[in-house]
Amino acid sequence: MPEQLTVYNPATGEAIESIPQQTAQEVEEAIERSHQAFQSWSKTSAGERASLLRKWYELIVEHKEELAELITKENGKPYQEAVGEVLYGAGYIEWFAEEAKRIYGRTVPAAAGKRIVVTRQAVGPVAAITPWNFPNAMITRKAAPALAAGCTFIIKPAEDTPLSAYALARLAYEAGIPKDVLQVVIGDGAEIGNVFTSSPKIRKITFTGSTPVGKILMKNSADTVKHMSMELGGHAPLIVDEDADLDLAVKQTMASKFRNAGQTCVCANRLIVHESIKDEFAKKLSEEAAKLKVGNGLEEGVNVGPVINKKGFDKIVSQINDAVEKGAKVLTGGTYDQNDEKGCYFVTPTVLADVDTSMNIMHEETFGPVAPIVTFSDIDEAIKLANDTPFGLAAYFFTENYRRGIYISEHLEYGIIGWNDGGPSAVQAPFGGMKESGIGREGGTEGIEPYLETKYMSIGL
Ligand code: NAP
């Protein structure tokens, strides 16, 4: 492993900065510091942790422009979207600063001559591994509840986007959070992952990323029986029923599908549209998609930035080619701007019609700005299609009929449901998936639970 990691701008190919990578030995040392710091951090008062988190939140908001510019440079997303990510991410810190004060225990009626008291305490040092698609918010969504609960925290960000992690840590230290309580380590994912999972001092792994890597982490954590939170891949269906408000459905589909160039785990991946409205929906969606401006996210008016790297680009292109070879029709897009020398890859927002289940795009997460449309005639057929995947993160549907809406929502096997809403993620809500999309929830009152142990004391009188 080279000593330095150079981070490149995916929109221009320019090197942004080179930063040191840590060896396995250095990661072990970071774990030891985390373990030592846990002894004192876990004993601080909830009020003290809350006020440090609150200060961190305020500093992030104060520095939102520079943090957003950094996100756009290392990840590629348009600047305004990056500002949105910073504020969204900071919202978790504000939320969990408050939740720190509400870690309640309880007393339970016991047998005569006894008292039962239940308390909650921090699980211990936590190791986090995060992806590149939200270089800022995927960190705060984990660090904030961990610190609020009294855990110490080590983060290994994605190699494509480590600079946001450093920037967040610098502001945390400025806020007064001790350096050993929140640490960043940079290096090879598999190597650092192995150091984390094999260490008995790490009591919890929290991971956001692909399902195959999540499975490796779960297997490797078995020997030390760690707590696990897994935010994994998605393959979101979006159902547009015959009685949907079509303009609303198109607007929300645009937001769900093309945000971050289609590179979010909750992006609509399969549009399942009632046959009676498919032509009108497809026409409106294609017209809107064709208006999106593709380019460098720091330029004014750009809506869709580059895709993160060649691996991501190749997957998107192969899914489009596979669909077209099997009979799909390109309504808009289907073109690319590929510069292998610079490492810059742009995909024009694409809408595909006449898609069917023989095509790879109906079975694999795309992580790109491609909207494939399949049709249905009966709502049970649409629900079956929506559930026909090992994933269960987010699902969307559009209907104005409340009976039908309740029916659909109760039959979808997904952790997050957007009914007439393409952007359901919110700090107050429990975000997370079913099936192979993960274990645990982030955000909401549920978000602090995975960082707490339950202890009960039986007192004999
Ligand atoms: P990825 O390849 O799984 O990488 C995610 C992180 O895991 C990176 O930090 C990576 O490090 C690290 N990693 C890679 N191999 C590892 C290993 N063997 N052991 C331990 N760590 C390892 O995923 P990605 O392509 O960056 O991100 C996209 C995926 O994340 C998609 O599937 C998406 O759906 C999912 N995602 C889910 C959520 C959610 O909340 N459910 C949110 C966002 C994204 P390096 O970068 O150093 O390789």
Side-chain angles (χ1 to χ4, degrees):
M1 188 180 66
E3 280 180 12
Q4 296 279 318
L5 172 71
T6 303
V7 186
Y8 295 93
N9 183 331
T12 62
E14 283 158 5
I16 309 169
E17 199 180 328
S18 287
I19 52 173
Q21 305 210 71
Q22 275 75 58
T23 60
Q25 177 59 33
E26 287 168 321
V27 178
E28 296 276 12
E29 287 161 14
I31 293 174
E32 184 55 36
R33 287 194 298 275
S34 196
H35 173 69
Q36 294 300 333
F38 178 74
Q39 313 312 320
S40 50
W41 180 253
S42 58
K43 292 179 186 65
T44 53
S45 72
E48 196 179 327
R49 296 195 298 275
S51 69
L52 289 170
L53 284 167
R54 176 83 208 175
K55 181 84 184 119
W56 188 21
Y57 159 76
E58 284 164 2
L59 284 170
I60 291 173
V61 173
E62 199 180 307
H63 291 83
K64 66 176 186 297
E65 281 93 2
E66 62 198 73
L67 291 169
E69 191 176 325
L70 194 55
I71 292 175
T72 300
K73 280 189 179 158
E74 62 177 355
N75 162 282
K77 70 178 64 176
Y79 175 73
Q80 283 311 328
E81 258 188 65
V83 174
E85 178 182 339
V86 174
L87 295 177
Y88 168 77
Y92 284 94
I93 302 177
E94 185 188 34
W95 174 266
F96 286 110
E98 294 299 316
E99 289 297 288
K101 302 174 202 161
R102 304 191 223 298
I103 301 172
Y104 302 135
R106 68 199 157 104
T107 57
V108 180
K114 285 199 177 197
R115 297 289 182 273
I116 292 176
V117 178
V118 181
T119 57
R120 315 299 310 283
Q121 62 185 50
V123 295
V126 173
I129 300 178
T130 52
W132 47 266
N133 64 343
F134 287 88
N136 178 305
M138 291 304 105
I139 294 174
T140 59
R141 213 160 77 167
K142 298 177 185 304
L147 266 51
C151 299
T152 49
F153 192 82
I154 308 178
I155 169 74
K156 193 224 82 78
E159 63 183 341
D160 286 315
T161 60
L163 303 178
S164 292
Y166 270 142
L168 283 170
R170 275 194 295 272
L171 293 176
Y173 305 148
E174 198 180 321
I177 293 170
K179 286 198 167 165
D180 291 345
V181 167
L182 178 76
Q183 300 181 73
V184 180
V185 293
I186 309 287
D188 179 70
E191 188 181 358
I192 293 184
N194 284 340
V195 178
F196 284 164
T197 51
S198 58
S199 169
K201 288 183 173 156
I202 293 294
R203 293 312 315 140
K204 177 180 173 71
I205 300 276
T206 173
F207 173 70
T208 297
S210 61
T211 297
V213 171
K215 288 180 183 178
I216 292 173
L217 291 169
M218 289 178 77
K219 282 183 192 145
N220 292 350
S221 295
D223 281 345
T224 48
V225 191
K226 296 188 197 310
H227 292 252
M228 310 244 59
S229 287
M230 293 281 143
E231 293 285 348
L232 308 177
H235 189 38
L238 184 150
I239 299 171
V240 186
D241 206 354
E242 56 189 321
D243 59 6
D245 174 336
L246 270 201
D247 290 333
L248 176 75
V250 168
K251 187 168 171 227
Q252 295 296 316
T253 303
M254 290 295 296
S256 170
K257 178 67 255 184
F258 296 112
R259 191 164 59 104
N260 201 11
Q263 304 169 111
T264 86
C265 52
V266 292
C267 271
N269 216 80
R270 299 167 286 153
L271 310 187
I272 303 170
V273 183
H274 194 273
E275 59 186 7
S276 65
I277 47 146
K278 73 161 193 325
D279 291 334
E280 197 184 347
F281 177 80
K283 182 169 176 286
K284 286 184 180 216
L285 186 72
S286 308
E287 282 168 5
E288 289 305 312
K291 289 181 196 162
L292 296 175
K293 187 174 166 201
V294 181
N296 182 341
L298 285 178
E299 284 168 18
E300 197 63 33
V302 164
N303 314 102
V304 177
V307 295
I308 190 74
N309 53 31
K310 181 166 169 54
K311 193 172 148 220
F313 174 77
D314 286 345
K315 186 177 184 194
I316 299 165
V317 172
S318 83
Q319 285 192 5
I320 296 176
N321 289 343
D322 169 77
V324 170
E325 274 162 28
K326 291 174 181 162
K329 199 165 131 204
V330 178
L331 299 184
T332 186
T335 56
Y336 327 106
D337 185 357
Q338 174 176 11
N339 187 328
D340 285 325
E341 210 178 303
K342 284 185 167 179
C344 299
Y345 304 92
F346 295 87
V347 178
T348 312
T350 300
V351 179
L352 301 174
D354 299 339
V355 170
D356 65 48
T357 53
S358 72
M359 301 170 187
N360 292 341
I361 200 161
M362 288 298 289
H363 305 286
E364 295 169 1
E365 190 179 27
T366 306
F367 246 58
V370 186
I373 300 176
V374 286
T375 58
F376 71 94
S377 54
D378 174 75
I379 196 62
D380 286 322
E381 186 193 342
I383 291 168
K384 189 159 176 264
L385 199 54
N387 288 337
D388 185 21
T389 167
F391 297 108
L393 188 57
Y396 308 88
F397 64 88
F398 292 84
T399 177
E400 295 298 304
N401 179 324
Y402 81 91
R403 284 198 181 86
R404 198 119 155 148
I406 300 280
Y407 181 82
I408 300 170
S409 70
E410 288 178 356
H411 286 81
L412 287 172
E413 296 161 358
Y414 287 83
I416 303 164
I417 306 280
W419 177 357
N420 290 344
D421 184 8
S425 185
V427 297
Q428 310 90 323
F431 186 105
M434 296 179 178
K435 293 155 74 177
E436 293 192 18
S437 286
I439 299 173
R441 296 292 180 268
E442 293 185 337
T445 50
E446 289 86 347
I448 203 160
E449 290 292 324
Y451 297 92
L452 295 168
E453 284 275 22
T454 298
K455 182 186 272 181
Y456 101 80
M457 183 168 47
S458 177
I459 308 169
L461 298 176

